[in-house]
């Protein structure tokens, strides 16, 4: 009787665990699908805007990493069109930051795995010193990674605002707040606004 109860409990735990794994897989699958959809929507939107604003290589908006340059170039062209602002090189800055973030992430993982290694040396004090050095290197890399991510986010939202001013000037602030507060809103808004025409070029005073 006791063994039967344990077997029943074991089956119940196994079923619950499998159900939890299935739920996690389903959530991750939905997240992947939504991420892919928003990726393609933003690519389509930026590509269309780039063509309307005369930005070179508009189809680069679909290419990983390089898409950030096209996005920034569209923001540059939008700013020049609405206010005649000089080029700020948002595209190069965003792409450079994106590459830097990936490199720093790889370095941080490498340092972390190195610090966890137990086969560095047989001398305990030497292992401790190396691990302490690795710890400070890891902390410094994380600091740089955080700074790069924050800078990337700030410039991305500035670029969004420039684009919103060009394609929907009356509600640009509202769209910016929505893009900041709701994660996929920026991508969806870019796609929606790409169907509109940009504002007429700003008249420069002589």
């Amino acid at each position: 009787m006791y063994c039967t109860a344990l077997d029943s409990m074991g089956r119940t735990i196994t079923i619950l665990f499998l159900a939890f794994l299935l739920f996690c897989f389903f959530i991750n699958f939905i997240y992947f699908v939504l991420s892919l959809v928003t990726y393609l929507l933003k690519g389509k939107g930026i590509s269309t805007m780039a063509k309307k604003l005369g930005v070179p290589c508009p189809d680069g908006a679909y290419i990983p990493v390089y898409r950030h340059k096209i996005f920034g170039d569209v923001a540059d062209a939008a700013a020049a069109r609405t206010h005649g602002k000089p080029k700020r090189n948002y595209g190069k800055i965003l792409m450079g930051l994106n590459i830097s973030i990936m490199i720093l992430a790889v370095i941080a993982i490498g340092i972390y795995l190195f610090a966890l290694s137990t086969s560095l040396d047989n001398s305990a004090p030497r292992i401790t010193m190396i691990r302490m050095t690795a710890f400070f290197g890891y902390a410094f890399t994380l600091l740089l990674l955080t700074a790069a991510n924050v800078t990337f986010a700030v410039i991305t939202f500035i670029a969004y605002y420039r684009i919103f001013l060009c394609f929907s000037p009356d509600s640009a602030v509202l769209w910016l707040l929505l893009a900041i507060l709701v994660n996929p809103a920026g991508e969806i808004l870019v796609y929606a606004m790409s169907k509109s025409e940009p504002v007429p070029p700003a008249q420069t005073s002589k």
Side-chain angles (χ1 to χ4, degrees):
M1 188 71 168
Y2 180 71
C3 292
T4 304
L6 286 178
D7 290 341
S8 178
M9 182 180 296
R11 283 195 297 269
T12 302
I13 293 174
T14 301
I15 292 172
L16 290 175
F17 180 69
L18 291 175
F20 175 73
L21 290 179
L22 184 61
F23 175 76
C24 291
F25 172 79
F26 178 75
I27 294 298
N28 280 282
F29 178 75
I30 294 298
Y31 178 78
F32 170 77
V33 171
L34 290 177
S35 298
L36 181 61
V37 169
T38 54
Y39 181 95
L40 294 175
L41 286 179
K42 185 176 181 180
K44 175 63 176 175
I46 292 300
S47 177
T48 303
M49 289 179 172
K51 292 173 183 176
K52 291 181 178 181
L53 295 174
V55 174
C57 303
D59 291 335
Y62 295 100
I63 302 174
V65 182
Y66 190 71
R67 68 198 304 258
H68 297 294
K69 182 181 185 306
I70 304 301
F71 173 66
D73 289 346
V74 168
D76 264 331
R81 189 180 183 91
T82 52
H83 298 297
K85 290 183 177 294
K87 191 173 183 180
R88 303 294 177 87
N89 290 319
Y90 290 129
K92 292 181 180 178
I93 294 172
L94 285 173
M95 187 172 69
L97 283 170
N98 185 249
I99 294 173
S100 300
I101 289 169
M102 291 188 291
I103 293 174
L104 288 171
V106 171
I107 292 174
I109 293 173
I111 294 175
Y112 180 77
L113 294 176
F114 177 77
L116 289 180
S117 175
T118 56
S119 60
L120 298 175
D121 196 284
N122 291 327
S123 173
R126 181 176 174 79
I127 292 176
T128 302
M129 183 178 298
I130 292 175
R131 284 183 174 171
M132 286 296 294
T133 304
F135 170 77
F136 285 113
Y138 178 71
F140 181 69
T141 305
L142 283 185
L143 182 63
L144 291 178
L145 185 60
T146 302
N149 273 300
V150 171
T151 306
F152 181 83
V154 170
I155 296 178
T156 296
F157 289 129
I158 292 174
Y160 270 130
Y161 183 63
R162 298 300 183 196
I163 292 172
F164 295 159
L165 278 176
C166 184
F167 285 86
S168 182
D170 295 335
S171 305
V173 175
L174 175 62
W175 301 142
L176 176 63
L177 291 175
L178 188 61
I180 293 173
L181 297 176
V182 183
N183 186 23
E187 289 87 342
I188 296 172
L189 287 170
V190 163
Y191 174 73
M193 290 181 194
S194 68
K195 300 179 183 299
S196 305
E197 293 298 320
V199 297
Q203 298 294 327
T204 55
S205 58
K206 296 182 180 180

